[in-house]
Amino acid sequence: MQRRILAAQVCACAGDDVYLLALSHHPSQDGTEKSRQIFITVPTEVGQTEAEEIGVEHLLRNVKDATISTLASDVSAKLQALKGLRSRLADVQEYLAAVLDGRLPVNNDIMTYLQDVFNLLPNMNVEALSTSLAVKGNDMMSTIYLASLIRSILALHKLINNKEQRMWNEKEKAEKAKAAAAKAKTDKDGAKDADADKENKAVTADGKEEKPQSNGNA
């Protein structure tokens, strides 16, 4: 059964393999030709020189995965944000104090912005708002804490697996060394037995040679 590949349409990549989608025609049992689409593996190879590998490694050292976050990094970011807010509020307080003392003139644009800021502040005296904010914050913190806890458990699991693997490797090495020592001892004992057998055979042969000589002298 012969197939005829007419045209290639698209290329697809799956992992390290590259596939080519082609239209194939092949004869059927009734004498007609049937066509169907098939995937053809395209032989590919990805390589890099030593200089390129070193350059990529240097670039990857400075790249941080933004999707990975820890509880410590989140708390540090919030702390930095609060410090920035505190410094801005201190600047606003210093400006207002200078205006009140007459050291700076009144700027209507700045006053308008400050008024908008105070008007847009939430009323934390409302119990429902404070409760909802607290619940939202606790939910976010609990999620982050749970993710950090899971990462810690996975890290401990990998550490335990590594320790078990090392113990198994050491046990296998000890067993191999024990087997090699036992084999060497067996070979040594076998060599000793062979030497003893040779000596016994030599002594027996010497005894047999000495008997005829003694009979002749008699």
Side-chain angles (χ1 to χ4, degrees):
M1 184 179 292
Q2 298 180 352
R3 294 181 178 177
R4 293 187 298 110
I5 300 174
L6 297 182
Q9 294 182 356
V10 294
C11 287
C13 296
D16 296 332
D17 298 328
V18 179
Y19 297 96
L20 188 66
L21 181 61
L23 187 63
S24 173
H25 282 194
H26 62 91
S28 60
Q29 295 179 356
D30 55 1
T32 60
E33 288 189 354
K34 292 184 178 180
S35 61
R36 64 174 180 174
Q37 292 180 342
I38 60 173
F39 284 101
I40 302 174
T41 304
V42 180
T44 56
E45 182 179 356
V46 179
Q48 59 185 0
T49 62
E50 185 177 357
E52 292 174 345
E53 185 177 357
I54 295 173
V56 171
E57 289 180 358
H58 280 290
L59 288 175
L60 291 177
R61 288 177 184 175
N62 298 326
V63 175
K64 295 182 179 179
D65 193 354
T67 60
I68 299 176
S69 61
T70 60
L71 182 60
S73 62
D74 290 338
V75 173
S76 177
K78 292 183 182 299
L79 182 60
Q80 293 295 331
L82 290 175
K83 287 182 178 179
L85 178 60
R86 181 179 179 181
S87 64
R88 300 299 182 274
L89 292 176
D91 293 339
V92 172
Q93 182 181 8
E94 184 179 356
Y95 169 75
L96 294 176
V99 171
L100 289 175
D101 295 340
R103 290 182 283 115
L104 289 176
V106 179
N107 191 324
N108 294 326
D109 294 334
I110 295 177
M111 292 300 175
T112 302
Y113 292 145
L114 291 177
Q115 189 65 38
D116 292 338
V117 168
F118 288 112
N119 289 334
L120 294 175
L121 286 176
N123 187 8
M124 299 303 297
N125 294 325
V126 180
E127 185 177 358
L129 179 60
S130 60
T131 303
S132 62
L133 289 176
V135 170
K136 183 66 175 179
N138 291 334
D139 291 340
M140 294 178 62
M141 289 293 104
S142 63
T143 304
I144 296 172
Y145 176 75
L146 183 61
S148 300
L149 187 62
I150 292 173
R151 290 195 185 99
S152 300
I153 293 173
L154 292 176
L156 289 174
H157 185 66
K158 291 180 180 179
L159 182 63
I160 293 172
N161 287 339
N162 188 17
K163 185 177 180 180
E164 289 181 352
Q165 186 65 32
R166 289 183 59 186
M167 291 176 62
W168 279 108
N169 293 336
E170 291 177 358
K171 186 177 180 181
E172 289 180 357
K173 289 182 181 178
E175 290 179 354
K176 289 181 180 179
K178 187 176 180 181
K183 185 178 180 181
K185 184 178 180 182
T186 303
D187 295 339
K188 187 176 180 180
D189 294 339
K192 288 183 179 179
D193 294 339
D195 294 338
D197 292 339
K198 289 181 180 179
E199 291 178 357
N200 292 332
K201 289 180 180 180
V203 171
T204 304
D206 293 339
K208 287 181 179 180
E209 291 178 356
E210 289 176 357
K211 284 182 180 180
Q213 294 176 0
S214 60
N215 289 333
N217 293 329

